[in-house]
């Protein structure tokens, strides 16, 4: 069944359905043509049945044969020379560096003065731009898998290697359900798979071969692009790193630090994802991390959650420098980036199904980009070209064309066998699945057996700041009680209540979109009801008349800011940052959407932090 209606507005009959039309063997034959973004080449988007599903990475790993093709296809894509259009290096670089024109999209080739980038972060088309981007990676990856499948002489029982490759889709890393990826992704430099040289045993099993694991990281070919040298230690590293052990060329990954950090943030990821999917009912607050236009939003956006995942995966700035995933300029080179963004797209698809009548609302981009002309009247909406992703030789994909993700040849497990195409019925089905996938933890007070769980107020901090106030990415850490003097102890401290990481480019001179956003605020929300319950459980059910005066008088809420580029602590009252930490509360039972729009019982308590460095501006 279709997850949502198929849209036929934009001359889709001209879509190329075969990547081989655009390149021979592994290389693109460009001439005067563009590589068309079609998604996997073997699926006809006009078919009425469901395309193959993207799988959670854990599930793909359990399919030994398909996972073997995935690993070999990824390795082949990474082995492509870095000057090839469909090399991992080139496709990953679309997201940031190196500053080169991709697929004939952009201005003058003299990029030293004219490079403006394709960035759409903190804009209303953040979710839709990344959809054809991920589909491009999946499209190339599957083509390599099909080529590899043709090298096998022995076929599995009941299927062929080519058929397995044709059903292969990019896996997603569902960090909201399972924050820590499998060891096959983050903790093994070699991996056992079935290669064309392996044999089928009489019992139906296969012999295996140990190969270098491409999921462990991407190896750059020296010399590195000169743009890397502007970013300190990135000029030293010839491999993408997660939680690097140092800034030196000898640095390695630290999987234990990565696991520790992701475990600490697992509940925050799950709670924020639950609320984002079920409680945000407008495009502006859902789609990007710009501060809400009203004072009663209490939910972190899709991009805001995505920001924290990026930084938690790249490193822990309280203890050391951060690796590639924590830097907007370099994140696309880490292979986990595309599994991360595959999940971002999945969450986008779930939100679409829950809110079938809501879609891209207009925004602005006055400075334009390399492909959007600068204009004070420049409106970015659902018809804005999603550059550099060509749909035909003449037009780019836009948000209208990519609204139905099925057109790009994939679906997700939540949409399989739903038994309906009715939007209202599908909305309820997906809501139920989201509630099961991402259950919100609740505080259970001492009570008599059989007593109904009471409702209570939930307390949270809204963190708002200038996006480019500190010159790159930054993190805001929230504490409930004493803040350790040694920041290496912050995340393990009993007083640590949560943090929000903001994913920001350091050098805005190469990004027109970032220049447009010189004065914008970004925001996210950190929950701290558990901290209140830990310190003063007798305040349950945490009503305003008891909690607000207590928090105001005791001043237990504290915060610290760290800049990612040099891991230094930034003053909370830094005038360029304009940090505002404001306390809000809301009924916990609103997770079931019992409260009507627009504020659903949300209250803002400026007085709790007013007058403090980085606190509320007014009472």
């Amino acid at each position: 069944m279709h997850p949502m209606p198929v849209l036929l507005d934009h001359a889709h009959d001209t879509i190329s359905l075969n990547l081989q039309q655009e390149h021979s063997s592994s290389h693109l034959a460009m001439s005067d043509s563009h590589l068309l973004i079609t998604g996997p080449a073997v699926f006809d988007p006009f078919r009425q049945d469901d395309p193959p599903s993207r799988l959670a990475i854990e599930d793909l790993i359990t399919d030994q044969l398909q996972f073997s093709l995935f690993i070999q296809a990824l390795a082949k894509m990474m082995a492509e020379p870095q000057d090839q259009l469909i090399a991992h290096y080139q496709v990953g670089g679309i997201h940031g560096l190196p500053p080169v024109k991709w697929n004939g999209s952009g201005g003058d080739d003299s990029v030293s003065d004219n490079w403006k980038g394709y960035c759409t972060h903190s804009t209303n088309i953040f979710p839709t731009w990344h959809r054809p981007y991920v589909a491009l990676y999946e499209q190339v990856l599957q083509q390599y898998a099909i080529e590899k499948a043709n090298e096998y002489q022995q076929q599995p029982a009941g299927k062929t290697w080519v058929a397995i490759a044709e059903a292969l889709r990019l896996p997603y890393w569902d960090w909201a359900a399972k924050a820590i990826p499998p060891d096959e992704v983050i903790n093994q430099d070699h991996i056992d798979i079935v290669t064309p040289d392996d044999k089928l045993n009489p019992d139906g099993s296969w012999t295996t071969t140990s190969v270098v694991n491409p999921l462990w990281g991407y190896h750059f070919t020296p010399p590195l692009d000169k743009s890397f040298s502007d970013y300190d230690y990135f000029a030293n590293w010839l491999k993408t790193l997660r939680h690097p052990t140092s800034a030196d060329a000898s640095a390695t990954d630290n999987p234990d630090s990565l696991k520790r950090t992701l475990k600490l943030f697992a509940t925050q990821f799950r709670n924020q994802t639950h609320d984002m999917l079920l409680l945000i009912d407008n495009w502006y607050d859902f789609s990007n991390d710009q501060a809400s236009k009203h004072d009663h939003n209490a939910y972190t956006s899709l991009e805001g959650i995505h920001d924290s995942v990026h930084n938690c995966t790249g490193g822990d700035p309280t203890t050391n420098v951060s690796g590639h995933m924590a830097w907007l300029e370099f994140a696309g080179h880490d292979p986990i980036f595309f599994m991360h963004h595959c999940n971002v797209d999945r969450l986008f698809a779930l939100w679409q199904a829950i809110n079938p009548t809501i879609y891209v609302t207009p925004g602005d981009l006055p400075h334009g980009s390399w492909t959007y002309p600068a204009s004070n009247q420049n409106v970015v909406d659902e018809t804005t070209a999603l550059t550099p992703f060509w749909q035909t030789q003449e037009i780019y994909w836009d948000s209208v064309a990519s609204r139905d993700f099925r057109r790009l040849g994939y679906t997700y497990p939540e949409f399989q066998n739903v038994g309906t195409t009715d939007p209202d019925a599908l909305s309820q089905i997906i809501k139920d699945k989201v509630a099961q996938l991402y259950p919100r933890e609740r505080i259970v007070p001492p009570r008599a057996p059989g007593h109904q769980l009471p409702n209570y107020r939930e307390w949270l901090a809204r963190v708002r700041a200038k996006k480019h106030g500190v010159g790159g990415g930054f993190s805001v850490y929230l504490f409930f009680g004493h803040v350790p003097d040694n920041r290496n102890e912050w995340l393990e401290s009993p007083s640590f209540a949560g943090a929000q990481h903001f994913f920001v480019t350091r050098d805005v001179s190469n990004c027109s979109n970032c220049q447009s956003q010189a004065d914008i605020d970004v925001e996210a929300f950190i929950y701290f009801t558990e901290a209140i319950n830990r310190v003063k459980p007798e305040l349950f059910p945490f009503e305003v008349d008891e909690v607000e005066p207590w928090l105001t008088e005791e001043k237990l809420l504290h915060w610290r800011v760290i800049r990612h580029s040099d891991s230094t602590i930034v003053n909370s009252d830094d005038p360029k940052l304009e940090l505002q930490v404001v306390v809000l509360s809301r009924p916990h039972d609103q997770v079931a959407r019992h409260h009507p729009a627009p504020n659903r019982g949300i209250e803002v308590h400026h007085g709790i932090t007013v007058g403090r460095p980085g606190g509320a501006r007014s009472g």
Side-chain angles (χ1 to χ4, degrees):
M1 294 291 182
H2 291 195
M4 51 197 63
V6 173
L7 300 168
L8 304 175
D9 303 35
H10 282 251
H12 292 116
D13 56 327
T14 64
I15 297 175
S16 165
L17 296 177
N18 192 339
L19 185 62
Q20 291 282 24
Q21 293 179 4
E22 298 299 328
H23 71 90
S24 57
S25 297
S26 299
H27 297 166
L28 182 69
M30 284 299 297
S31 63
D32 295 324
S33 63
H34 305 295
L35 168 64
L36 304 187
I37 313 308
T38 67
V42 298
F43 181 75
D44 180 351
F46 295 101
R47 283 168 43 176
Q48 295 302 304
D49 58 330
D50 280 333
S53 180
R54 291 175 173 173
L55 301 176
I57 181 58
E58 296 86 359
D59 295 330
L60 180 61
I61 289 171
T62 64
D63 187 331
Q64 182 189 37
L65 304 189
Q66 196 168 67
F67 183 63
S68 295
L69 287 177
F70 169 67
I71 290 295
Q72 292 173 98
L74 182 59
K76 192 169 184 179
M77 190 172 178
M78 289 183 170
E80 284 285 357
Q82 291 182 173
D83 62 352
Q84 295 299 316
L85 187 75
I86 55 174
H88 172 87
Y89 177 79
Q90 287 278 328
V91 177
I94 293 171
H95 194 265
L97 296 177
V100 296
K101 179 164 64 176
W102 191 83
N103 202 14
S105 299
D108 189 278
D109 286 328
S110 177
V111 297
S112 60
D113 296 323
N114 295 291
W115 171 251
K116 301 300 180 183
Y118 304 117
C119 173
T120 60
H121 293 87
S122 298
T123 76
N124 56 327
I125 55 174
F126 166 81
T128 56
W129 183 88
H130 284 83
R131 177 162 284 174
Y133 185 28
V134 174
L136 160 66
Y137 198 85
E138 182 175 56
Q139 172 181 336
V140 178
L141 192 73
Q142 192 210 44
Q143 184 63 42
Y144 286 132
I146 292 173
E147 292 178 4
K148 180 58 67 173
N150 281 303
E151 297 179 18
Y152 286 81
Q153 299 301 312
Q154 289 182 289
Q155 300 298 322
K159 64 184 80 172
T160 67
W161 281 100
V162 169
I164 294 171
E166 290 177 345
L168 176 64
R169 297 296 184 269
L170 188 68
Y172 60 86
W173 165 33
D174 186 4
W175 28 258
K178 296 181 179 179
I180 301 175
D183 279 349
E184 289 87 346
V185 177
I186 62 171
N187 202 24
Q188 295 180 9
D189 58 0
H190 281 71
I191 196 165
D192 294 336
I193 62 170
V194 179
T195 72
D197 294 328
D198 285 300
K199 304 299 181 184
L200 180 62
N201 295 318
D203 64 357
S205 65
W206 290 82
T207 64
T208 59
T209 300
S210 178
V211 300
V212 174
N213 184 7
L215 293 172
W216 181 244
Y218 174 69
H219 293 265
F220 298 96
T221 302
L224 296 177
D225 187 85
K226 62 181 181 180
S227 61
F228 284 41
S229 63
D230 295 331
Y231 288 81
D232 308 318
Y233 39 84
F234 285 95
N236 299 331
W237 296 337
L238 295 180
K239 174 191 170 294
T240 57
L241 295 174
R242 302 166 194 149
H243 289 242
T245 53
S246 74
D248 300 332
S250 60
T252 60
D253 294 81
N254 187 340
D256 291 337
S257 176
L258 171 59
K259 290 179 180 181
R260 176 184 71 110
T261 300
L262 292 174
K263 182 179 180 180
L264 283 169
F265 282 86
T267 299
Q268 176 175 313
F269 292 161
R270 184 176 67 252
N271 290 344
Q272 288 180 332
T273 299
H274 174 283
D275 291 355
M276 177 267 294
L277 290 173
L278 294 181
L279 294 172
I280 298 181
D281 56 7
N282 70 88
W283 182 262
Y284 184 93
D285 291 335
F286 162 75
S287 64
N288 69 91
D289 60 7
Q290 281 201 49
S292 178
K293 294 181 179 179
H294 59 83
D295 207 32
H296 285 83
N297 178 51
Y299 322 108
T300 303
S301 67
L302 176 64
E303 185 178 11
I305 305 170
H306 140 280
D307 283 4
S308 281
V309 176
H310 262 287
N311 286 282
C312 287
T313 309
D316 174 8
T318 68
T319 60
N320 212 328
V321 296
S322 293
H324 295 75
M325 269 289 282
W327 288 69
L328 191 149
E329 296 90 335
F330 301 102
H333 296 297
D334 188 326
I336 205 172
F337 170 93
F338 287 96
M339 288 191 288
H340 167 39
H341 269 279
C342 191
N343 193 53
V344 170
D345 182 76
R346 171 177 160 270
L347 297 177
F348 172 27
L350 295 175
W351 190 89
Q352 284 182 271
I354 292 171
N355 302 276
T357 63
I358 304 172
Y359 202 49
V360 179
T361 53
D364 56 13
L365 195 67
H367 286 264
S369 74
W370 216 25
T371 47
Y372 307 144
S375 168
N376 289 333
Q377 290 78 43
N378 196 23
V379 174
V380 181
D381 58 21
E382 63 182 8
T383 64
T384 299
L386 304 177
T387 57
F389 310 117
W390 293 96
Q391 182 188 1
T392 73
Q393 291 299 334
E394 291 78 31
I395 63 172
Y396 293 102
W397 283 91
D398 62 19
S399 300
V400 174
S402 61
R403 184 170 187 170
D404 180 4
F405 53 84
R406 182 183 175 276
R407 297 197 60 80
L408 285 161
Y410 64 89
T411 188
Y412 292 106
E414 291 81 9
F415 295 98
Q416 292 184 304
N417 304 313
V418 294
T420 183
T421 58
D422 177 72
D424 292 336
L426 181 61
S427 175
Q428 188 58 53
I429 289 171
I430 299 301
K431 286 179 187 177
D432 292 342
K433 291 188 176 186
V434 166
Q436 293 172 0
L437 282 167
Y438 311 119
R440 286 284 262 113
E441 291 186 350
R442 64 174 296 131
I443 294 171
V444 180
R447 57 185 175 85
H451 189 273
Q452 184 177 0
L453 289 175
N455 290 319
Y456 58 89
R457 287 198 76 79
E458 191 164 51
W459 291 78
L460 57 157
R462 180 180 67 204
V463 177
R464 183 178 290 179
K466 291 297 179 187
K467 178 175 181 177
H468 294 284
V470 301
F474 61 97
S475 299
V476 180
Y477 296 85
L478 191 71
F479 301 88
F480 203 79
H482 172 69
V483 182
D485 294 332
N486 184 350
R487 67 180 186 180
N488 291 353
E489 301 173 1
W490 284 2
L491 297 188
E492 301 292 348
S493 169
S495 64
F496 176 65
Q500 177 62 33
H501 308 283
F502 294 96
F503 190 54
V504 185
T505 189
R506 191 182 77 176
D507 183 5
V508 301
S509 65
N510 285 334
C511 176
S512 290
N513 178 44
C514 304
Q515 293 167 18
S516 298
Q517 298 170 347
D519 199 43
I520 71 165
D521 292 327
V522 288
E523 74 175 11
F525 299 84
I526 303 172
Y527 310 102
F528 63 90
T529 316
E530 289 284 351
I532 297 176
N533 187 60
R534 183 182 67 248
V535 174
K536 208 169 182 65
E538 62 268 27
L539 289 182
F540 188 91
F542 313 123
E543 296 296 345
V544 171
D545 58 353
E546 291 192 335
V547 174
E548 184 174 38
W550 177 65
L551 287 176
T552 304
E553 180 179 352
E554 296 295 331
K555 292 183 171 56
L556 290 173
L557 207 60
H558 302 279
W559 48 88
R560 298 289 187 271
V561 182
I562 288 185
R563 179 170 49 223
H564 297 161
S565 61
D566 53 10
S567 299
T568 60
I569 297 176
V570 178
N571 291 332
S572 295
D573 56 358
D574 187 317
K576 294 181 180 179
L577 181 62
E578 295 188 19
L579 177 67
Q580 298 179 63
V581 178
V582 179
V583 175
L584 292 82
S585 68
R586 65 189 186 193
H588 183 273
D589 66 351
Q590 74 167 256
V591 298
R593 253 187 158 159
H594 292 166
H595 291 267
N599 61 34
R600 303 190 185 112
I602 297 168
E603 295 186 27
V604 183
H605 309 283
H606 294 94
I608 293 175
T609 61
V610 72
R612 298 173 60 188
R617 298 283 176 79
S618 64

